[in-house]
Amino acid sequence: MAFQSKIADLNRLHEIIRVFTIAGFGDIFKQMGLEAAAERTGKILGWKHADEMAHLERPQRVRRTFEILGPTFVKLGQILATRPDLFGPEWIAEFEKLQSQAPPLDFEELRPQIEEDLGAPLEEIFEEVETTPLAAASVAQVHRATLKDGTKVVLKIQRPGIRPNIEADMRLLAYLASLAEKSVPQLAAYHPQKVVQQFVKALQNELDFMTEGHNAEHVAANFEDNDQIVIPKIYWEWTRQRINVQGFVDGIPGVNVQAIDAAGMDRKRIAQTGASAVLKMIMMDGLFHADPHPGNFFILPGERIAFIDFGMIGRVSEVRRQQIMKLLQALLQNDAEGLCTILLEWSDRGGDDPGELSGAVEDFLSKYAGKSMGLMDLSAMVGDLLSLVRDNKLTMPPDQAMLLKVFVSLDGAFKKLDPGFDIMVAIQPTLHEAVIDQLSPRALGNAGLNFSQNMWSYSLTCPRRYAAESIRLKAVT
């Protein structure tokens, strides 16, 4: 079996090299010492897709290459879309086009695996299972069903046999990333091994549907006192590694603005509610939905919002939250030295100013100096900051890069609902609450005097009404 696995991996490696070579990246494989393999696979397997690739720009060719190579590479592209510190806007735009849509499998092909996992015939568990899928993706397929007690649920079912193929691809990607980092100078700056490590960890979590269930429950617990936010219930009795059974959400997709209007709902209120929820996840809870696009939330009566699909989540440690506060403090106080320090810390180059960074930071800050938070264009500001990072050959921790991407996605998603939505205004109450939380006796005891002084300094930069409240609460505590 081990020998067969090695042969299968070798064949898959040849296929990967072939497709990338067709896309115009043969020189990279030559530098990696894989020229012979590239030539051999080209002669043996032919050059399908060559004409199609010839007319595409480089970012488009990479995106198309990922689509051709299948689920693992589609997921890789989706992870790369969360790294705007490494890739420019034209690349991110192409990676964001990668969707996991796939031709649906006949339900009878799924039935044996489902019954194996559940340990019983479907008819003993469900009153009804709709054989036509709600959605079909490269990793899973989703079907509506009804439990014996009449409860409406959805079944997220992993495609049979997909795990060994994905695990083989992950092994090969780790191998290629190691070769690339050692052999290809222009790729080393992208830290391919770290990117692949991030990807492997994320994909392993996505392949375990129980992890997704735990993520959803943790988020639900954080909103148990907020009746405006709905997280579908996980039915653990029937949830396994390859199947997730959760409550069915009967709402209007966030992308369907016309239906929201027809229902007489207040889109401005919905945008504010959704933004506040995601910001709370990030700034207060440290566990957030990492892909808050309109397809992943539904609008329910009363302008409530239901979030679905917690396969990709982000975590913000206490250290990272402190760094976010420091970043905002540096931006609001026009503190070039402070911003340089943070960027260098993120790149694991503390104190190592590459020379031009200070000047670039000062130019960046001068563009936004004197503007109130409410007048700042977040997307433009984050875009300029990320350009600064890339131009100076810096990097960011994956979780911070993902976080900035979420802020921009959030801004875009809710502007579709409310064109007047301004995340820099929406963020202020949550930031204020985070500041007050950090100034509590508990936080001061845990974090120490130095951090409390930083937080106090930050609170003075908030709008007057929030700063005044901070002073009052600090006096009380």
Side-chain angles (χ1 to χ4, degrees):
M1 176 63 85
F3 177 76
Q4 290 178 336
S5 296
K6 289 181 179 179
I7 292 296
D9 283 3
L10 183 60
N11 289 337
R12 179 59 169 166
L13 176 61
H14 285 172
E15 182 182 8
I16 291 168
I17 294 172
R18 174 179 65 89
V19 176
F20 272 99
T21 301
I22 292 170
F25 299 96
D27 287 346
I28 291 175
F29 291 104
K30 291 179 182 178
Q31 293 179 63
M32 292 165 62
L34 297 172
E35 179 177 8
E39 291 179 353
R40 184 165 58 252
T41 53
K43 292 176 182 176
I44 294 173
L45 298 175
W47 296 97
K48 184 182 177 183
H49 304 294
D51 291 340
E52 173 192 356
M53 293 286 192
H55 303 291
L56 299 177
E57 297 294 328
R58 197 173 181 86
Q60 294 174 318
R61 276 186 277 138
V62 171
R63 185 257 305 160
R64 185 67 187 113
T65 297
F66 286 177
E67 289 173 340
I68 292 168
L69 288 172
T72 309
F73 286 82
V74 168
K75 291 291 182 183
L76 173 61
Q78 292 172 347
I79 291 294
L80 295 181
T82 70
R83 298 302 306 270
D85 58 319
L86 298 178
F87 298 93
E90 69 280 7
W91 288 88
I92 298 298
E94 288 300 319
F95 292 142
E96 286 178 335
K97 293 177 183 177
L98 287 164
Q99 300 295 324
S100 297
Q101 294 174 348
L105 290 176
D106 186 281
F107 187 77
E108 291 308 310
E109 295 182 57
L110 301 173
R111 180 187 287 270
Q113 176 181 288
I114 300 171
E115 294 185 341
E116 176 187 345
D117 289 350
L118 298 182
L122 289 179
E123 290 74 18
E124 291 185 11
I125 302 169
F126 302 101
E127 186 67 30
E128 179 186 9
V129 177
E130 295 185 7
T131 57
T132 301
L134 283 174
S138 56
V139 170
Q141 201 158 291
V142 179
H143 290 257
R144 287 185 63 175
T146 306
L147 296 176
K148 287 293 186 179
D149 64 1
T151 302
K152 303 295 183 183
V153 296
V154 294
L155 314 181
K156 183 175 180 179
I157 307 153
Q158 194 169 113
R159 285 182 175 247
I162 196 171
R163 179 179 286 271
N165 295 333
I166 289 178
E167 289 176 345
D169 278 351
M170 289 193 290
R171 288 194 299 270
L172 291 173
L173 280 169
Y175 166 69
L176 292 172
S178 176
L179 270 183
E181 193 151 324
K182 295 173 183 175
S183 311
V184 189
Q186 65 265 39
L187 290 183
Y190 293 89
H191 304 285
Q193 291 192 83
K194 287 186 177 180
V195 170
V196 169
Q197 287 168 6
Q198 176 198 3
F199 164 66
V200 168
K201 182 178 179 181
L203 189 49
Q204 285 173 336
N205 286 335
E206 281 201 58
L207 286 173
D208 186 346
F209 293 172
M210 294 185 73
T211 298
E212 179 178 344
H214 289 302
N215 292 340
E217 281 207 337
H218 288 167
V219 174
N222 290 334
F223 285 95
E224 62 181 354
D225 296 327
N226 187 338
D227 59 7
Q228 289 299 110
I229 302 301
V230 175
I231 310 296
K233 178 182 176 180
I234 304 299
Y235 290 86
W236 288 110
E237 185 178 2
W238 312 119
T239 292
R240 305 286 187 272
Q241 189 178 68
R242 297 185 297 184
I243 182 170
N244 183 298
V245 181
Q246 58 186 271
F248 173 70
V249 175
D250 187 11
I252 301 172
V255 294
N256 196 340
V257 175
Q258 290 182 331
I260 294 171
D261 287 340
M265 295 188 187
D266 184 343
R267 284 196 272 132
K268 187 178 183 70
R269 183 187 175 197
I270 293 169
Q272 181 61 55
T273 298
S276 296
V278 178
L279 293 169
K280 176 185 179 298
M281 293 181 205
I282 294 168
M283 302 303 299
M284 302 296 294
D285 305 331
L287 181 73
F288 63 93
H289 197 304
D291 194 18
H293 64 74
N296 276 341
F297 62 85
F298 290 82
I299 313 304
L300 308 179
E303 282 87 12
R304 294 176 300 145
I305 297 180
F307 289 96
I308 65 167
D309 192 357
F310 289 88
M312 185 183 291
I313 57 100
R315 287 183 168 83
V316 189
S317 68
E318 186 63 34
V319 171
R320 291 286 186 250
R321 274 181 274 183
Q322 293 177 28
Q323 290 176 336
I324 294 168
M325 295 292 188
K326 290 178 181 178
L327 173 66
L328 290 169
Q329 180 179 346
L331 291 173
L332 291 168
Q333 293 183 337
N334 201 33
D335 179 5
E337 182 179 353
L339 184 53
C340 277
T341 299
I342 294 166
L343 294 178
L344 290 170
E345 283 179 359
W346 280 348
S347 295
D348 294 326
R349 290 165 56 181
D352 176 25
D353 187 338
E356 298 180 357
L357 179 60
S358 296
V361 167
E362 288 176 0
D363 290 342
F364 165 75
L365 289 174
S366 67
K367 188 172 180 180
Y368 298 97
K371 290 185 178 179
S372 69
M373 291 182 74
L375 295 178
M376 289 183 185
D377 183 334
L378 179 75
S379 296
M381 183 173 68
V382 170
D384 288 344
L385 178 63
L386 291 168
S387 293
L388 185 155
V389 168
R390 292 191 301 270
D391 292 345
N392 286 273
K393 308 251 183 310
L394 302 174
T395 57
M396 300 176 70
D399 54 352
Q400 290 292 62
M402 177 185 287
L403 188 56
L404 288 180
K405 176 69 166 50
V406 167
F407 272 119
V408 174
S409 298
L410 191 64
D411 191 46
F414 291 112
K415 273 182 176 170
K416 291 178 181 177
L417 289 172
D418 172 21
F421 175 77
D422 188 336
I423 195 170
M424 297 306 287
V425 173
I427 198 175
Q428 292 182 35
T430 305
L431 280 178
H432 174 62
E433 188 177 352
V435 169
I436 300 305
D437 182 64
Q438 294 292 349
L439 288 171
S440 69
R442 173 192 55 78
L444 294 179
N446 292 336
L449 180 60
N450 184 54
F451 178 58
S452 71
Q453 290 173 338
N454 287 336
M455 293 304 302
W456 177 244
S457 175
Y458 171 75
S459 73
L460 295 177
T461 69
C462 289
R464 289 182 181 176
R465 60 183 182 277
Y466 298 123
E469 180 67 4
S470 300
I471 295 169
R472 185 185 69 78
L473 288 176
K474 180 172 174 62
V476 170
T477 59

